[in-house]
Amino acid sequence: MHIRIIMYNFAAVTRINIHCMKVKKDRLDTLRMIISSREMGSQDELLSALQAEGFKLTQATLSRDLKQLKVAKAASMNGNYVYVLPNVTMYKRVSTPNQIKEMMQVPGFKSIHFSGNMGVIKTRPGYASSIAYNIDNSNIPYILGTIAGDDTIFIVIRDSATERDVVHALSAVVPDLK
């Protein structure tokens, strides 16, 4: 009889743990969806959005969830700082990527300089990642790819391309580029 009670209690605890894990997974999935589909600038906004989806949690739990998802804050197109997911997921918010021209009209672009088959674009803090993403998606034939930090974009230029080719390609979409 004693063994049966222990087995029953173990089964009940296991069901509770599985339920809690499912709730957490659902909550994290919902949090990812909220962050990738809306511009949220504060934990209060995130808590409200999660509550609207049926999740009750504390600010401390939300903070742990954000840390687990490696969520950061970055400047949005309108200059506000919003929560973003790491790597590629952070760009799901953009259903159709803006053209580089639209990106560069935002006061984030500062300058561009070249050395050999490399270029460096300087931006305002927080803008480099989104501008680099849009450069990559603009399919400029002279640019092989980009690497972005917070305020600097490193571009790799094809061997056959000249600085003039790159500037000309970018100047069609970056009005102030000279």
Side-chain angles (χ1 to χ4, degrees):
M1 180 123 153
H2 184 41
I3 294 173
R4 188 176 304 198
I5 293 171
I6 292 172
M7 288 177 57
Y8 174 77
N9 286 340
F10 176 75
V13 169
T14 302
R15 275 196 303 273
I16 291 169
N17 285 342
I18 289 171
H19 175 72
C20 289
M21 289 187 316
K22 183 178 185 308
V23 169
K24 182 175 181 178
K25 181 188 178 312
D26 290 347
R27 185 178 71 237
L28 292 176
D29 288 345
T30 302
L31 184 56
R32 279 187 199 96
M33 185 61 74
I34 289 169
I35 290 170
S36 64
S37 64
R38 305 182 210 165
E39 289 193 355
M40 296 284 179
S42 72
Q43 288 191 6
D44 284 339
E45 290 175 358
L46 287 172
L47 280 171
S48 295
L50 285 165
Q51 286 173 353
E53 295 293 329
F55 295 96
K56 290 183 91 173
L57 64 150
T58 65
Q59 182 276 329
T61 300
L62 175 60
S63 187
R64 286 189 294 272
D65 288 352
L66 293 172
K67 184 175 181 179
Q68 181 178 344
L69 294 174
K70 295 181 172 64
V71 171
K73 273 194 160 183
S76 68
M77 290 299 297
N78 60 16
N80 295 329
Y81 280 83
V82 296
Y83 288 102
V84 294
L85 294 166
N87 303 328
V88 177
T89 7
M90 72 186 268
Y91 299 110
K92 286 186 178 175
R93 184 181 302 124
V94 181
S95 56
T96 54
N98 293 334
Q99 294 299 315
I100 191 168
K101 179 177 185 176
E102 294 168 352
M103 289 295 297
M104 296 300 195
Q105 286 175 343
V106 173
F109 175 78
K110 289 172 117 181
S111 65
I112 185 168
H113 299 281
F114 297 95
S115 178
N117 73 329
M118 299 175 287
V120 175
I121 297 173
K122 293 289 189 175
T123 71
R124 287 182 43 215
Y127 283 81
S129 185
S130 58
I131 292 172
Y133 175 78
N134 284 285
I135 290 171
D136 289 336
N137 284 290
S138 292
N139 297 316
I140 297 172
Y142 305 115
I143 298 175
L144 293 172
T146 64
I147 299 173
D150 184 54
D151 63 355
T152 305
I153 303 167
F154 172 75
I155 60 175
V156 178
I157 302 162
R158 290 193 186 279
D159 286 335
S160 60
T162 65
E163 286 179 27
R164 184 176 175 183
D165 292 333
V166 175
V167 169
H168 180 68
L170 288 174
S171 68
V173 291
V174 183
D176 295 331
L177 189 66
K178 296 180 179 163

